[in-house]
Amino acid sequence: MITGLRSLSSELKFRDGGMVCTSLSSLTSNDFVRIYYLEQKRHCKALRKNAGMLSLSCPTTSKLMEGSFMRKKQLHKPPLKLEFVRTLLIDNYDSYTYNIYQDLSVINGLPPVVIRNDEWTWEDLCYYLYEEKAFDNIVISPGPGSPTCANDIGICLRLLHECEDIPILGVCLGHQALGYVHGAKVVHANEPVHGRLSEIEHNGCSLFNGIPSGRNSGFKVVRYHSLVIDPESLPKELIPISWTCSTDTQSFLEISNASSISDAHDIVSSDSMSQVQKSLRVWPLNSHQNMQNGKVLMAVMHSVRPHYGVQFHPESIGTSYGREIFKNFREITEDHWLNYGPLVTCKENVDYSGNQIRLRKPVSQLNHGTFPSRSIGHNGVGKKGVGLFDLVNLSYPSNGVKFLKLAWKKYDHLASEVGGARNIFYQLFGHHKAENTFWLDSSSIEKGRARFSFMGGKGGSLWKQMVFQLSDESGHPFEGGGYLSIEDARGSATKTFLNDGFFNYLNKELSSFQYKREDYDELPFDFHGGYVGYFGYELKVECGAPYNQHKSRTPDACFFFADNLLVIDHSSDDVYLLSIHEECNTSTSWLDDAELKLMELRTSVPEKLIEESSLNVSFTQCKVEFVAEKSMEEYMSDVEKCKQYIKDGESYELCLTTQIRKKIEEIDALRLYLRLRERNPAPYAAWLNFSKEDICICCSSPERFLQLNRDGVLEAKPIKGTTKRGVTTEEDELLKMQLQYSEKNQAENLMIVDLLRNDLGRVCEPGSVHVPLLMDIESYATVHTMVSTVGGKKQPNVSAIDCIKAAFPGGSMTGAPKLRSMEILDSLENCPRGIYSGCIGYISYNQTFDLNIVIRTVVLHQGEASIGAGGAIIALSDPSDEYEEMVLKTHAPSRVVMEFS
């Protein structure tokens, strides 16, 4: 277990002084428009024209410096240092770009402006670079595909070819583009290398200033690439400046120096330790093709231009000295422009104020149509191609203001007195087949993994059920929208079409609530009433995915608005009753009724527990087995297809899934869930019963998708890497260690950690994204899992729904880069994922939330039980091993279903 890795907690301080500025006179908010950094793939973004002004959003800056630097070469000037550096970061549709963004925000003193590689025309780019002189350098991000494909690299090739006087750093795909544009060949590597580390040596040039070099120097880098620049084809303009030290790659965690090994010797014999060593494969590259002296080219620089490229990923959590490389690039930029100084401010050209960069566009150029245009919706968001960067600084009109009050009661140490969480739920909410009920169930609380359980049923006057179904456009580019059905506590039902989608609807709903923080300040948990339910995987089209290949068989989202709930604190054994109501309504009838029922349980626990003991009767296993959507041969064939996509550079990691299904007759769904939580307890388990939709969800998930607490702290706990438990203590410890030190599993986990850092980096304050736990092993009833924790501080101008959209679907269920990977998976998988791979949890009325990843879950719907399972496919994957892992993940839930049907 690695703790406290790379906590970027340093404060950013942006100073106003230090440069002479002139004021912009009489500019109103209508003089500016915002460029939203949209995620829609291959869709050219437009700029809104108004009064000759263009505004570029920099959503994470607290206070930006004012001024623009005129690039005029003058000699014999005293050396100066820039107070901040302005970077244009070009995103090649990658899932690690915002890790670069976070690093540059801290190092430059100013967040970069991010655009997609097809977002601006060449004329736009030239205008900002050479007329407005808005940027000091450019960074070209990694990305899927090849620089030889125009759709993959966009405007970057022309930029590298023609912008010879602007410092440029290309990372991975950007590095390959630098080579390709000058005539070098970009070819397949001898073996794809993703999430694996190499020791690096370099020639000591400015980009690697102050960084050690060579074997055992401590300079290790993370690599995510299937293609390389052929060093034999390098033109004279490009100079090789860095190579791998050898053909071998390394694990992030090495068993030879692991601190936990001495403890393991108490349990595992010497022979078993030797077996662990032998089981861990060494992954040398297959041959020396495309290498020189057995070394892979890792970086190049142009001989006369300030252009650099690195094949590895300096922004990865696993790369040492990564931030130093970005610091050195800043210094290269400063040295370059100081030779063209002085850097004179000109506020008539650029205004840095508040949290935006505003660039003046001459009216004559606007009138001549330099900028493309697109339809802007009433929220400032185009109705087509809505993506992840529509999130920040948008106005969400509320759906009518509601003033909410919270009333609550606490009962000390009551839970165990009345039979625990299971008995409380069964007796208070289990009647009538537990219709319209929920239970967010921390059934595994060991090692502090979870603390609170929340439960409730059809409640008071604010209660309602919401069912959302995307418009039927599977297999086609998503145009947006879907149907929302709402039923209130009185049974009144409505159905409307939401043009802006379900996430935007929830954002407006949450924006409509007003409340007092003192109502819940003394409560130790963050759910005080609000929305409880699930988001289905196919809602990915509201978060940047271009389309859904398959239409979900279940609604794409179902939620209750829970105005009454019961909470159990498993740490203290306390029980809480909560009720929210509008300010004009002071009724506490539900609190009084629920209190009475709890007190009755206190005096009748023995009888109630006897009734529950019927759950322990033996069952005869059903003869009708589950039917898999794909056979073993078909699934293994899909694994091979995934590996080919990875080899071709289309993805780093693909989370391939499938489903098994079984027809069922009448079944006691609640008792099935109670058995599942007994057999496979999990910290993020859940029961949801949307009875009118004929949907029961029995979930035993060990994985948190994303949590936002009342202090604005976000946390994700992705799982990648799973193995079975052992029969004996020694075998169990052996399997655990094999998982811990497997290079393949470490590579899977590292890729997803970097992906989650990126997703949080979109909505978190610069410098706040960190990884307090990396590749920790958690053990459950049937499996060991490799879990990491990623956290960050939410930006104040970002909503709870913005945060969910930025990371949905969870990266552990997609792979990376996320958008391209989801497209590939849609083409391989032959059925919708539906509820599986989505998330279940709560969104409190005060905009806190906690959501799981829907895995290890039985979905009961229209006479059928379905279970989804899968695994991450990387270059090191073995098809038969992947199939076995997928089957292993279905064991616990499928066995319970077989007992009850």
Side-chain angles (χ1 to χ4, degrees):
M1 179 178 66
I2 306 298
T3 59
L5 265 171
R6 194 173 176 182
S7 176
L8 311 184
S9 58
S10 58
E11 283 191 351
L12 295 179
K13 296 182 180 178
F14 303 101
R15 299 195 289 116
D16 290 328
M19 306 195 82
V20 179
C21 301
T22 58
S23 62
L24 280 171
S25 61
S26 64
L27 291 177
T28 68
S29 60
N30 291 331
D31 294 322
F32 304 105
V33 299
R34 188 180 310 284
I35 294 178
Y36 295 101
Y37 304 137
L38 304 181
E39 283 277 338
Q40 174 61 41
K41 183 177 179 186
R42 312 294 175 241
H43 179 68
C44 186
K45 307 305 179 295
L47 309 175
R48 193 176 178 186
K49 296 176 268 187
N50 187 351
M53 300 296 301
L54 175 70
S55 168
L56 300 181
S57 173
C58 275
T60 57
T61 310
S62 59
K63 182 71 177 174
L64 307 188
M65 291 293 299
E66 297 184 349
S68 176
F69 301 117
M70 305 301 294
R71 296 166 177 168
K72 296 179 180 180
K73 184 166 184 176
Q74 294 186 7
L75 301 178
H76 311 298
K77 294 291 181 180
L80 300 172
K81 284 294 182 181
L82 307 184
E83 300 225 16
F84 61 87
V85 170
R86 304 161 304 164
T87 296
L88 177 64
L89 176 55
I90 301 182
D91 178 22
N92 289 304
Y93 291 87
D94 196 51
S95 287
Y96 298 149
T97 300
Y98 271 71
N99 295 332
I100 299 175
Y101 173 93
Q102 284 276 324
D103 277 349
L104 292 178
S105 296
V106 174
I107 290 163
N108 288 351
L110 183 71
V113 170
V114 184
I115 65 167
R116 285 297 177 84
N117 63 21
D118 54 4
E119 190 168 333
W120 287 358
T121 67
W122 178 249
E123 290 75 18
D124 300 336
L125 193 60
C126 288
Y127 179 81
Y128 299 133
L129 291 175
Y130 292 106
E131 294 188 47
E132 295 290 0
K133 300 173 174 54
F135 302 104
D136 303 307
N137 64 25
I138 300 169
V139 175
I140 301 175
S141 85
S146 166
T148 64
C149 176
N151 284 338
D152 292 337
I153 199 63
I155 204 168
C156 299
L157 290 183
R158 188 169 183 183
L159 184 150
L160 286 163
H161 184 263
E162 299 192 26
C163 296
E164 61 185 43
D165 60 335
I166 297 176
I168 301 175
L169 174 64
V171 179
C172 200
L173 182 65
H175 157 85
Q176 295 164 9
L178 176 61
Y180 179 71
V181 80
H182 291 289
K185 294 180 181 179
V186 177
V187 297
H188 279 95
N190 293 290
E191 183 178 356
V193 180
H194 296 112
R196 296 153 68 186
L197 282 72
S198 292
E199 291 184 306
I200 295 296
E201 59 185 29
H202 57 78
N203 68 351
C205 71
S206 297
L207 191 64
F208 295 105
N209 182 47
I211 298 174
S213 175
R215 192 183 295 273
N216 300 321
S217 68
F219 185 23
K220 294 183 181 180
V221 301
V222 175
R223 299 164 59 187
Y224 294 113
H225 65 100
S226 301
L227 307 176
V228 294
I229 295 176
D230 182 358
E232 300 296 333
S233 68
L234 276 181
K236 62 182 181 180
E237 294 89 355
L238 295 182
I239 302 169
I241 57 176
S242 178
W243 304 81
T244 60
C245 292
S246 69
T247 63
D248 294 343
T249 60
Q250 299 180 357
S251 302
F252 185 81
L253 303 177
E254 295 287 346
I255 193 169
S256 58
N257 57 13
S259 60
S260 62
I261 294 302
S262 59
D263 297 333
H265 273 295
D266 296 335
I267 301 173
V268 181
S269 67
S270 298
D271 289 343
S272 295
M273 289 292 293
S274 177
Q275 186 177 342
V276 172
Q277 295 274 11
K278 292 177 181 177
S279 70
L280 302 179
R281 292 180 57 184
V282 178
W283 302 93
L285 297 181
N286 292 329
S287 70
H288 297 314
Q289 183 184 358
N290 306 323
M291 303 181 188
Q292 288 186 353
N293 300 319
K295 301 176 182 180
V296 183
L297 180 63
M298 283 288 107
V300 297
M301 63 177 288
H302 197 279
S303 58
V304 294
R305 300 180 180 183
H307 293 180
Y308 298 81
V310 292
Q311 179 62 78
F312 56 89
H313 283 236
E315 81 286 357
S316 172
I317 189 68
T319 293
S320 55
Y321 300 99
R323 186 169 291 182
E324 281 71 12
I325 291 172
F326 289 127
K327 288 179 180 176
N328 287 338
F329 184 59
R330 171 182 172 142
E331 293 180 0
I332 289 169
T333 300
E334 290 174 328
D335 291 344
H336 175 80
W337 290 119
L338 289 174
N339 288 329
Y340 287 78
L343 304 174
V344 181
T345 63
C346 180
K347 193 173 178 183
E348 293 179 358
N349 288 334
V350 180
D351 172 35
Y352 296 100
S353 62
N355 62 352
Q356 296 181 15
I357 302 176
R358 295 182 174 97
L359 305 178
R360 181 176 294 277
K361 182 69 179 175
V363 175
S364 60
Q365 291 195 26
L366 281 172
N367 292 339
H368 285 88
T370 302
F371 293 90
S373 62
R374 72 181 177 100
S375 173
I376 303 294
H378 73 278
N379 286 334
V381 183
K383 295 183 179 180
K384 296 184 180 181
V386 176
L388 292 174
F389 294 101
D390 294 313
L391 306 177
V392 179
N393 288 333
L394 297 185
S395 173
Y396 292 97
S398 66
N399 297 341
V401 176
K402 298 181 180 70
F403 296 90
L404 300 183
K405 291 289 291 180
L406 172 65
W408 56 274
K409 296 182 178 182
K410 177 186 177 184
Y411 307 89
D412 294 335
H413 316 303
L414 179 65
S416 59
E417 291 184 35
V418 296
R422 184 175 75 165
N423 196 52
I424 293 173
F425 183 84
Y426 195 75
Q427 302 304 330
L428 268 65
F429 307 107
H431 52 281
H432 304 302
K433 299 183 179 179
E435 293 180 351
N436 302 312
T437 59
F438 67 89
W439 182 5
L440 304 180
D441 177 17
S442 298
S443 58
S444 173
I445 59 174
E446 293 83 3
K447 299 181 180 179
R449 291 171 185 157
R451 178 178 170 184
F452 301 102
S453 291
F454 306 91
M455 58 183 71
K458 193 169 183 177
S461 61
L462 294 177
W463 182 94
K464 61 183 175 181
Q465 175 181 290
M466 302 181 298
V467 179
F468 179 75
Q469 191 82 56
L470 289 164
S471 56
D472 189 7
E473 297 175 350
S474 58
H476 303 284
F478 182 64
E479 296 291 328
Y483 295 92
L484 176 67
S485 301
I486 298 178
E487 179 182 325
D488 64 20
R490 298 180 300 274
S492 176
T494 60
K495 186 173 184 178
T496 56
F497 187 82
L498 299 180
N499 288 301
D500 295 332
F502 188 64
F503 281 114
N504 282 344
Y505 171 83
L506 280 181
N507 223 337
K508 295 173 187 177
E509 284 280 294
L510 289 163
S511 298
S512 73
F513 299 138
Q514 294 191 11
Y515 48 86
K516 295 180 179 179
R517 180 160 182 154
E518 53 261 35
D519 285 355
Y520 54 81
D521 262 345
E522 296 181 18
L523 294 173
F525 44 84
D526 285 327
F527 182 39
H528 313 120
Y531 300 99
V532 181
Y534 73 82
F535 296 111
Y537 175 78
E538 276 70 32
L539 273 181
K540 68 182 190 291
V541 293
E542 290 194 9
C543 303
Y547 61 86
N548 280 322
Q549 187 67 38
H550 312 287
K551 182 175 177 61
S552 177
R553 303 176 186 182
T554 53
D556 293 291
C558 282
F559 278 85
F560 299 118
F561 186 88
D563 53 357
N564 299 324
L565 67 150
L566 183 149
V567 185
I568 299 173
D569 184 342
H570 296 286
S571 175
S572 64
D573 208 36
D574 296 337
V575 175
Y576 296 80
L577 296 175
L578 286 78
S579 182
I580 53 174
H581 53 272
E582 291 192 80
E583 196 171 42
C584 57
N585 179 5
T586 59
S587 172
T588 60
S589 60
W590 184 85
L591 290 178
D592 298 334
D593 292 344
E595 180 180 39
L596 182 60
K597 291 178 182 179
L598 281 174
M599 294 307 104
E600 290 176 351
L601 281 182
R602 179 182 262 168
T603 60
S604 57
V605 166
E607 298 172 14
K608 300 299 182 182
L609 291 180
I610 290 171
E611 182 180 334
E612 279 191 60
S613 67
S614 62
L615 291 172
N616 297 322
V617 301
S618 59
F619 294 87
T620 303
Q621 185 160 310
C622 178
K623 295 180 180 179
V624 180
E625 300 286 343
F626 277 87
V627 176
E629 288 283 353
K630 291 200 172 184
S631 67
M632 179 178 68
E633 291 76 16
E634 289 172 325
Y635 190 83
M636 291 171 64
S637 175
D638 285 345
V639 173
E640 291 289 2
K641 292 175 184 176
C642 288
K643 293 182 68 174
Q644 187 60 49
Y645 280 116
I646 291 168
K647 180 180 179 181
D648 291 339
E650 298 297 325
S651 179
Y652 316 141
E653 176 174 11
L654 290 162
C655 296
L656 181 68
T657 75
T658 189
Q659 302 213 10
I660 60 174
R661 304 182 188 277
K662 182 183 182 301
K663 293 295 181 183
I664 56 173
E665 303 296 334
E666 191 71 20
I667 190 171
D668 190 331
L670 178 55
R671 287 178 177 257
L672 185 151
Y673 174 68
L674 294 176
R675 175 55 63 94
L676 177 64
R677 75 186 294 273
E678 176 187 305
R679 292 282 185 86
N680 196 46
Y684 309 108
W687 155 271
L688 291 173
N689 186 359
F690 297 96
S691 53
K692 287 201 172 181
E693 301 303 315
D694 192 18
I695 298 173
C696 280
I697 303 172
C698 305
C699 174
S700 59
S701 173
E703 181 172 2
R704 169 176 281 159
F705 164 50
L706 196 61
Q707 178 195 53
L708 175 64
N709 68 21
R710 70 182 74 177
D711 296 321
V713 176
L714 285 161
E715 180 185 86
K717 291 178 69 69
I719 290 176
K720 267 291 159 273
T722 302
T723 191
K724 65 182 180 180
R725 297 295 302 264
V727 176
T728 66
T729 302
E730 182 172 351
E731 182 191 22
D732 193 56
E733 190 66 25
L734 175 64
L735 291 169
K736 180 179 177 179
M737 291 181 63
Q738 287 176 339
L739 173 65
Q740 177 85 74
Y741 299 107
S742 159
E743 182 176 6
K744 174 188 175 294
N745 286 301
Q746 289 183 33
E748 288 181 18
N749 198 279
L750 182 59
M751 282 187 264
I752 299 305
V753 168
D754 279 341
L755 171 56
L756 264 296
R757 290 174 59 237
N758 173 87
D759 290 349
L760 267 60
R762 292 185 171 107
V763 293
C764 285
E765 294 180 354
S768 72
V769 178
H770 62 289
V771 182
L773 285 175
L774 183 60
M775 301 180 192
D776 191 20
I777 301 298
E778 293 185 356
S779 300
Y780 295 91
T782 59
V783 295
H784 297 294
T785 60
M786 184 179 284
V787 186
S788 295
T789 303
V790 184
K793 178 71 172 179
K794 181 184 74 68
Q795 298 170 35
N797 60 336
V798 170
S799 74
I801 298 299
D802 294 338
C803 297
I804 296 169
K805 287 181 68 177
F808 187 85
S812 62
M813 304 307 295
T814 63
K818 185 182 282 187
L819 293 181
R820 181 70 63 88
S821 295
M822 288 192 295
E823 292 179 27
I824 293 170
L825 292 167
D826 259 11
S827 71
L828 293 175
E829 297 175 3
N830 62 350
C831 66
R833 294 191 184 183
I835 297 168
Y836 170 66
S837 295
C839 57
I840 292 172
Y842 70 76
I843 306 171
S844 189
Y845 69 85
N846 58 336
Q847 298 214 31
T848 61
F849 63 80
D850 199 357
L851 301 165
N852 74 5
I853 294 285
V854 182
I855 54 177
R856 321 290 198 271
T857 296
V858 181
V859 176
L860 304 174
H861 180 55
Q862 297 181 345
E864 181 182 72
S866 62
I867 300 170
I873 312 304
I874 66 172
L876 304 179
S877 292
D878 177 80
S880 61
D881 290 345
E882 295 297 338
Y883 179 77
E884 289 178 7
E885 180 179 332
M886 182 273 293
V887 172
L888 171 66
K889 292 172 180 176
T890 69
H891 278 174
S894 64
R895 285 173 178 171
V896 172
V897 175
M898 295 296 288
E899 292 176 354
F900 276 80
S901 58

PDB file of all heavy atoms in Angstrom, residues 726-733:
ATOM      1  N   GLY A 726      -8.425 -17.857  -1.184  1.00  0.00           N
ATOM      2  CA  GLY A 726      -7.847 -19.182  -1.044  1.00  0.00           C
ATOM      3  C   GLY A 726      -8.612 -20.054  -0.065  1.00  0.00           C
ATOM      4  O   GLY A 726      -9.356 -19.558   0.797  1.00  0.00           O
ATOM      5  N   VAL A 727      -8.415 -21.354  -0.158  1.00  0.00           N
ATOM      6  CA  VAL A 727      -9.077 -22.307   0.733  1.00  0.00           C
ATOM      7  C   VAL A 727      -8.425 -22.294   2.107  1.00  0.00           C
ATOM      8  O   VAL A 727      -9.090 -22.315   3.146  1.00  0.00           O
ATOM      9  CB  VAL A 727      -9.052 -23.728   0.131  1.00  0.00           C
ATOM     10  CG1 VAL A 727      -9.655 -24.734   1.107  1.00  0.00           C
ATOM     11  CG2 VAL A 727      -9.787 -23.753  -1.202  1.00  0.00           C
ATOM     12  N   THR A 728      -7.099 -22.232   2.129  1.00  0.00           N
ATOM     13  CA  THR A 728      -6.355 -22.188   3.393  1.00  0.00           C
ATOM     14  C   THR A 728      -5.813 -20.782   3.600  1.00  0.00           C
ATOM     15  O   THR A 728      -5.745 -19.970   2.667  1.00  0.00           O
ATOM     16  CB  THR A 728      -5.193 -23.181   3.388  1.00  0.00           C
ATOM     17  OG1 THR A 728      -4.233 -22.762   2.396  1.00  0.00           O
ATOM     18  CG2 THR A 728      -5.681 -24.589   3.055  1.00  0.00           C
ATOM     19  N   THR A 729      -5.381 -20.513   4.823  1.00  0.00           N
ATOM     20  CA  THR A 729      -4.810 -19.201   5.133  1.00  0.00           C
ATOM     21  C   THR A 729      -3.574 -18.924   4.290  1.00  0.00           C
ATOM     22  O   THR A 729      -3.384 -17.817   3.765  1.00  0.00           O
ATOM     23  CB  THR A 729      -4.446 -19.124   6.621  1.00  0.00           C
ATOM     24  OG1 THR A 729      -5.609 -19.373   7.399  1.00  0.00           O
ATOM     25  CG2 THR A 729      -3.871 -17.756   6.967  1.00  0.00           C
ATOM     26  N   GLU A 730      -2.731 -19.939   4.117  1.00  0.00           N
ATOM     27  CA  GLU A 730      -1.513 -19.751   3.335  1.00  0.00           C
ATOM     28  C   GLU A 730      -1.830 -19.513   1.868  1.00  0.00           C
ATOM     29  O   GLU A 730      -1.264 -18.617   1.227  1.00  0.00           O
ATOM     30  CB  GLU A 730      -0.593 -20.965   3.490  1.00  0.00           C
ATOM     31  CG  GLU A 730       0.722 -20.801   2.723  1.00  0.00           C
ATOM     32  CD  GLU A 730       1.722 -21.909   3.032  1.00  0.00           C
ATOM     33  OE1 GLU A 730       1.461 -22.695   3.964  1.00  0.00           O
ATOM     34  OE2 GLU A 730       2.750 -21.956   2.332  1.00  0.00           O
ATOM     35  N   GLU A 731      -2.759 -20.304   1.317  1.00  0.00           N
ATOM     36  CA  GLU A 731      -3.128 -20.112  -0.089  1.00  0.00           C
ATOM     37  C   GLU A 731      -3.766 -18.735  -0.288  1.00  0.00           C
ATOM     38  O   GLU A 731      -3.512 -18.057  -1.289  1.00  0.00           O
ATOM     39  CB  GLU A 731      -4.103 -21.202  -0.540  1.00  0.00           C
ATOM     40  CG  GLU A 731      -4.489 -21.066  -2.013  1.00  0.00           C
ATOM     41  CD  GLU A 731      -5.639 -21.970  -2.409  1.00  0.00           C
ATOM     42  OE1 GLU A 731      -6.411 -22.379  -1.526  1.00  0.00           O
ATOM     43  OE2 GLU A 731      -5.770 -22.250  -3.618  1.00  0.00           O
ATOM     44  N   ASP A 732      -4.575 -18.317   0.672  1.00  0.00           N
ATOM     45  CA  ASP A 732      -5.245 -17.020   0.571  1.00  0.00           C
ATOM     46  C   ASP A 732      -4.221 -15.882   0.545  1.00  0.00           C
ATOM     47  O   ASP A 732      -4.329 -14.954  -0.267  1.00  0.00           O
ATOM     48  CB  ASP A 732      -6.202 -16.857   1.752  1.00  0.00           C
ATOM     49  CG  ASP A 732      -7.158 -15.705   1.559  1.00  0.00           C
ATOM     50  OD1 ASP A 732      -7.871 -15.686   0.534  1.00  0.00           O
ATOM     51  OD2 ASP A 732      -7.189 -14.807   2.426  1.00  0.00           O
ATOM     52  N   GLU A 733      -3.224 -15.966   1.410  1.00  0.00           N
ATOM     53  CA  GLU A 733      -2.194 -14.932   1.444  1.00  0.00           C
ATOM     54  C   GLU A 733      -1.346 -14.952   0.172  1.00  0.00           C
ATOM     55  O   GLU A 733      -0.928 -13.900  -0.337  1.00  0.00           O
ATOM     56  CB  GLU A 733      -1.303 -15.114   2.672  1.00  0.00           C
ATOM     57  CG  GLU A 733      -0.356 -13.964   2.950  1.00  0.00           C
ATOM     58  CD  GLU A 733      -1.082 -12.685   3.324  1.00  0.00           C
ATOM     59  OE1 GLU A 733      -2.226 -12.768   3.823  1.00  0.00           O
ATOM     60  OE2 GLU A 733      -0.495 -11.595   3.106  1.00  0.00           O
TER      61      GLU A 733
END
